[in-house]
């Protein structure tokens, strides 16, 4: 019995140590907290080079957990800065609004509910499956954003408006609770995205 208890204690210690290592790895991955001003890119004379540099800056937001949690690779959204699978278990369902009986809005209301740490917005839902980009390279995401078959049928002008003014996109800068906001501001992000579009909308390889 003593030997068995010792083995259980040892396994528990290993589990705790493993969790600590995993947490350390999560913490070691820095997230951007700011965006370079648009004026920083004016000195790049080559149009393609400027476009690529702009999209790299835009990528700090696009690949941030505030975006990728709602653009998951599979049918289940993720949450927190570590992009853990959503708890309780929910799936995309019809129109990105959750499966029957487990829709988004019963829990996610028109605004954040801080006592329970539940995020909210009037438009709360998952991005369509064809707009899933978590885990993809920045170049792959760029090509996806430009493809009207995979971006919700949006033109480039509509994409600029979506990024710069959509209120659900804007939630990423005001997530509340312990969630890390997307870097910069939506206005800065929108200006960078528009400048990328205006410079030819080149994608990284």
């Amino acid at each position: 019995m003593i030997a068995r208890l010792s083995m259980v204690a040892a396994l528990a210690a290993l589990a705790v140590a493993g969790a600590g290592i995993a947490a350390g790895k999560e913490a070691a991955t820095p997230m951007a907290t700011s965006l370079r001003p648009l004026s920083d890119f004016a000195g790049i004379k080559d149009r393609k080079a400027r476009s690529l540099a702009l999209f790299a800056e835009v990528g700090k937001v696009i690949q941030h957990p505030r975006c990728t949690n709602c653009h998951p690779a599979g049918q289940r959204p993720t949450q927190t800065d570590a992009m853990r699978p959503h708890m309780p278990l929910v799936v995309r369902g019809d129109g990105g609004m959750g499966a029957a009986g487990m829709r988004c809005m019963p829990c996610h209301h028109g605004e954040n509910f801080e006592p329970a740490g539940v995020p909210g917005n009037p438009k709360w839902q998952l991005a369509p499956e064809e707009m899933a980009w978590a885990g993809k390279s920045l170049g792959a995401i760029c090509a996806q954003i430009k493809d009207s078959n995979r971006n919700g049928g949006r033109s480039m002008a509509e994409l600029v408006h979506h990024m710069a003014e959509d209120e659900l996109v804007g939630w990423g800068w005001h997530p509340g609770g312990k969630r890390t906001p997307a870097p910069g501001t939506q206005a800065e992000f929108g200006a960078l995205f528009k400048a990328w579009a205006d410079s030819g909308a080149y994608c990284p390889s």
Side-chain angles (χ1 to χ4, degrees):
M1 174 65 84
I2 293 174
R4 182 177 298 175
L5 290 173
S6 297
M7 178 65 72
V8 171
L11 289 172
L14 284 171
V16 170
I21 292 170
K25 285 182 178 177
E26 288 174 3
T29 305
M31 287 185 288
T33 57
S34 61
L35 293 173
R36 292 168 60 191
L38 186 56
S39 58
D40 276 9
F41 302 87
I44 305 175
K45 301 305 180 185
D46 182 81
R47 187 169 184 251
K48 182 177 181 180
R50 184 169 69 255
S51 187
L52 291 172
L54 285 162
F55 197 78
E57 197 67 17
V58 163
K60 293 179 181 179
V61 172
I62 289 173
Q63 294 185 303
H64 192 277
R66 297 292 75 75
C67 288
T68 54
N69 280 339
C70 291
H71 288 261
Q75 294 300 310
R76 188 176 180 183
T78 54
Q79 56 189 180
T80 77
D81 290 352
M83 295 184 289
R84 299 187 182 96
H86 189 291
M87 289 298 293
L89 195 159
V90 295
V91 295
R92 184 184 305 278
D94 293 336
M97 296 294 293
M102 286 289 284
R103 308 294 278 175
C104 299
M105 296 315 290
C107 293
H108 297 279
H109 300 159
E111 58 185 23
N112 293 345
F113 183 62
E114 299 300 354
V118 178
N121 182 274
K123 296 182 177 180
W124 196 267
Q125 66 180 88
L126 276 181
E129 189 169 5
E130 63 270 17
M131 295 172 69
W133 61 49
K136 295 183 179 180
S137 70
L138 194 57
I141 296 170
C142 180
Q144 189 172 356
I145 286 174
K146 290 172 60 177
D147 185 350
S148 61
N149 291 319
R150 295 184 292 162
N151 71 9
R154 293 181 174 92
S155 66
M156 188 57 72
E158 289 169 332
L159 282 171
V160 170
H161 180 270
H162 175 70
M163 298 298 191
E165 299 184 42
D166 186 275
E167 63 179 301
L168 183 54
V169 174
W171 176 89
W173 286 273
H174 308 281
K178 297 179 180 179
R179 292 172 287 270
T180 305
T185 67
Q186 186 174 18
E188 291 173 331
F189 173 64
L192 289 165
F193 190 90
K194 184 178 186 303
W196 166 73
D198 291 344
S199 63
Y202 287 94
C203 288
S205 55

